[in-house]
Amino acid sequence: MNEPSSANHRGANGLELGLAAVGIAVVIAVEMWISQAWRLIGHHLWLDEVLTWMLASDPGWGHWLGALRGGVDTNPPGLYLQVKAAGVLAGGLTVGTLRWVALIWTGLSVWGIYAVLRRGVGVWAAAAGGLLVLAYPMVLDHALEGRFYMPMLGMAVWVCYFLAGIASANRRWFGQLMLGVCAVGLCTIHYFGVIALAAAVAGQWWADRHSWREKMRFYWPALAGPAALAACIPLLLGQRAGLSVPTWVEPLSGGQIWDYTQDLLAIRPLAIVAGGFVLLRLFGGSMEQEERTISFRPLAGMMALGAMAVFVLLFSWVVQPALVSRYAIVSVAALAVAVAVAMQHTRRWVVAAVCVGLAAYSTWSLNSLRMKWMTFDRNIDKVAMKLSQTSDEPPMIFDMRQMAYPVAAAYPNLRNRIFYWGGSSNPSPYSSNFKQYELEMARRVDRYYGWPQVMEQGQLDRLDDALVIGFSADQRQLENIFYGRKVLPVLEMKRFSIYRIKN
């Protein structure tokens, strides 16, 4: 491996990192202002975010821990603790608090990627790697989402940063302390976090030329992560107990693998990078020789995060279905390394053009994301408004949690009337395994928080009057289910329809 001939790539100093942090914040702010994506901070919660909200806003610590162990959500406690702390700092927990936690971690992820890359490449190449991540559709999808994925990426990246710098740090104790903190955070934010930690440590260990004993002395604080995860085993056992279906994810298939690959290898951002080399070929002439120097060793830990993509695939094949691209989101950091190394081999004006292209694409993607979620909000509001117009207050029965939970979260005045459709007659178009998993999870939420309630099949059969909100059920299908009762259309939409069921 070639090592740098100068100090240019031994890492950015404090001033440069501070300026980079300001620059990243400005870029994100400008993109959100141009795309109007700032509106997404307050948009309605979707299903998974409702679960985050329930647990993070639970005022009773004993009840919260019992609900988490009881399987209201199936993850370690790290995210909920972060959101709870953010609520305390903000003077109260709001919907926006969840989104701000994710957005701050998005900025920290890009900043950490830049900081790691600067140990191996120049400023412009590191900027291109960071902007690639900020333009990645999978990252943008979760940049304003109150879930685990941006904290997971951010902590994995900062683990790589502290791993790469411990051996040469002036204040080694501080680097080791932060390595331990990030390792604990990574392993308690998602159960797959320990795999990301193992990949990062293994990659950096392989690249480090120190002796085995010295590496043990440098990296031992990373063991705090698995130790913290071990303390979460009672939670995991409780979450798994009583489930007849282990997951909502469908069994592994060729179509799944294709979609998974497309998500992880996003064509458009990578095409923008490739376009830079086309520009160089057409207009730029030869590459700049002085920009070829790269130090690979400090980048090894972050490059090894790409192994997460393989792990999720193998886990889905050998253990249980789990082929969901966001579970492998840390792999995006490995692509940032590849792009930065490629950009280090070209001219600065080409890198600048690529950076502008990535920022423009990121802005366009945020605008598309805003329109998608604004449509979601309008659907929630339209359904809730129509339901609110029924003066006699019949029960409202949803056949999909994906609509029931957002409506109940956004409109607390309707919660005591909202039910999730339990039982075998649920007309949801999804597979029987998915329906069973959703029903069992809905019963857990009902048990601990009381909303939305589950309408069991026996209760449903005895109803004289109800409103049914169906995902794809049509009038004829409901007439077959509610045989002998009238099915009257109330609101028919593209994806959701409301029907009145009366004796």
Side-chain angles (χ1 to χ4, degrees):
M1 293 183 182
N2 295 327
E3 289 298 313
S5 56
S6 67
N8 290 342
H9 306 325
R10 291 178 186 169
N13 59 31
L15 176 61
E16 183 186 332
L17 286 180
L19 292 173
V22 172
I24 291 165
V26 169
V27 168
I28 292 174
V30 169
E31 289 183 357
M32 291 187 67
W33 175 69
I34 294 174
S35 65
Q36 296 292 289
W38 57 268
R39 297 175 183 271
L40 296 180
I41 291 174
H43 88 83
H44 293 325
L45 301 171
W46 73 285
L47 169 60
D48 287 8
E49 288 182 309
V50 174
L51 303 179
T52 304
W53 169 262
M54 284 178 167
L55 289 161
S57 61
D58 193 327
W61 285 88
H63 185 266
W64 164 73
L65 197 59
L68 186 57
R69 188 176 186 275
V72 167
D73 206 355
T74 53
N75 290 279
L79 176 68
Y80 318 111
L81 292 173
Q82 287 187 27
V83 176
K84 281 177 178 287
V88 172
L89 293 174
L93 184 60
T94 65
V95 169
T97 307
L98 275 67
R99 308 279 169 53
W100 273 110
V101 169
L103 186 59
I104 289 170
W105 272 113
T106 302
L108 289 173
S109 298
V110 178
W111 189 33
I113 284 168
Y114 176 86
V116 174
L117 292 175
R118 278 293 286 122
R119 295 184 184 277
V121 298
V123 172
W124 280 99
L131 287 172
L132 172 82
V133 171
L134 192 57
Y136 230 75
M138 182 164 51
V139 171
L140 293 176
D141 282 345
H142 303 290
L144 286 159
E145 181 188 71
R147 294 297 279 173
F148 312 88
Y149 308 106
M150 294 319 300
M152 184 178 178
L153 174 61
M155 283 183 284
V157 166
W158 283 102
V159 161
C160 296
Y161 176 79
F162 291 111
L163 281 171
I166 282 177
S168 58
N170 293 326
R171 293 183 298 169
R172 185 173 298 156
W173 66 269
F174 178 76
Q176 290 180 312
L177 173 64
M178 293 307 298
L179 172 60
V181 169
C182 291
V184 169
L186 180 57
C187 290
T188 57
I189 201 75
H190 193 281
Y191 288 120
F192 283 174
V194 69
I195 306 301
L197 176 66
V201 172
Q204 200 59 48
W205 184 288
W206 171 80
D208 195 331
R209 292 188 298 180
H210 289 90
S211 69
W212 185 87
R213 290 180 180 275
E214 288 176 311
K215 286 187 280 192
M216 282 294 294
R217 185 162 55 89
F218 296 153
Y219 300 159
W220 70 265
L223 295 173
L229 181 61
C232 297
I233 289 177
L235 293 178
L236 174 63
L237 295 177
Q239 291 165 358
R240 302 285 293 181
L243 282 176
S244 61
V245 181
T247 178
W248 60 270
V249 184
E250 294 296 321
L252 194 63
S253 67
Q256 274 189 326
I257 295 173
W258 175 247
D259 292 341
Y260 179 75
T261 304
Q262 283 186 309
D263 285 347
L264 292 178
L265 297 175
I267 294 174
R268 290 176 179 174
L270 295 177
I272 291 171
V273 175
F277 288 97
V278 173
L279 288 175
L280 180 67
R281 183 76 173 178
L282 293 175
F283 306 110
S286 61
M287 298 178 184
E288 296 181 16
Q289 294 296 323
E290 65 272 17
E291 289 298 315
R292 288 178 178 271
T293 304
I294 297 172
S295 179
F296 286 95
R297 285 192 175 90
L299 308 179
M302 199 157 77
M303 193 67 192
L305 291 177
M308 180 63 89
V310 179
F311 166 79
V312 173
L313 179 59
L314 292 176
F315 185 90
S316 302
W317 181 31
V318 176
V319 182
Q320 72 174 48
L323 201 64
V324 180
S325 57
R326 59 182 179 266
Y327 295 165
I329 195 169
V330 300
S331 299
V332 176
L335 285 171
V337 176
V339 166
V341 169
M343 290 292 98
Q344 185 73 358
H345 281 189
T346 188
R347 290 180 175 272
R348 290 179 182 176
W349 71 265
V350 173
V351 185
V354 168
C355 288
V356 171
L358 289 170
Y361 177 73
S362 181
T363 304
W364 178 82
S365 297
L366 281 171
N367 183 60
S368 300
L369 198 65
R370 176 186 62 83
M371 291 190 291
K372 166 191 167 183
W373 285 114
M374 290 301 102
T375 300
F376 171 83
D377 281 6
R378 284 193 295 271
N379 288 337
I380 295 294
D381 294 336
K382 188 178 292 186
V383 168
M385 186 176 300
K386 200 67 179 178
L387 293 175
S388 299
Q389 292 173 354
T390 54
S391 56
D392 46 351
E393 299 190 351
M396 305 167 180
I397 305 167
F398 290 76
D399 70 352
M400 289 289 289
R401 291 207 303 159
Q402 285 76 358
M403 179 59 84
Y405 283 51
V407 172
Y411 292 88
N413 59 307
L414 298 177
R415 283 180 190 169
N416 64 342
R417 297 170 56 196
I418 292 177
F419 294 82
Y420 173 68
W421 189 331
S424 58
S425 64
N426 184 326
S428 161
Y430 291 97
S431 69
S432 57
N433 279 357
F434 180 89
K435 291 180 185 179
Q436 184 63 24
Y437 181 84
E438 288 287 276
L439 176 57
E440 291 174 2
M441 294 299 293
R443 285 172 176 159
R444 292 176 170 192
V445 174
D446 185 5
R447 183 184 313 129
Y448 284 98
Y449 290 103
W451 66 272
Q453 303 171 66
V454 174
M455 177 73 72
E456 301 292 354
Q457 191 66 47
Q459 297 172 283
L460 195 69
D461 294 338
R462 293 191 295 271
L463 281 178
D464 291 326
D465 188 12
L467 290 167
V468 172
I469 300 87
F471 178 72
S472 64
D474 57 25
Q475 186 170 353
R476 181 175 298 178
Q477 184 179 10
L478 291 177
E479 285 173 344
N480 291 333
I481 293 173
F482 295 96
Y483 183 75
R485 282 174 272 188
K486 296 178 182 178
V487 178
L488 308 173
V490 175
L491 176 68
E492 294 184 313
M493 301 168 61
K494 186 175 181 180
R495 298 186 68 190
F496 292 92
S497 299
I498 304 176
Y499 297 93
R500 188 75 178 258
I501 311 297
K502 293 181 70 72
N503 266 333

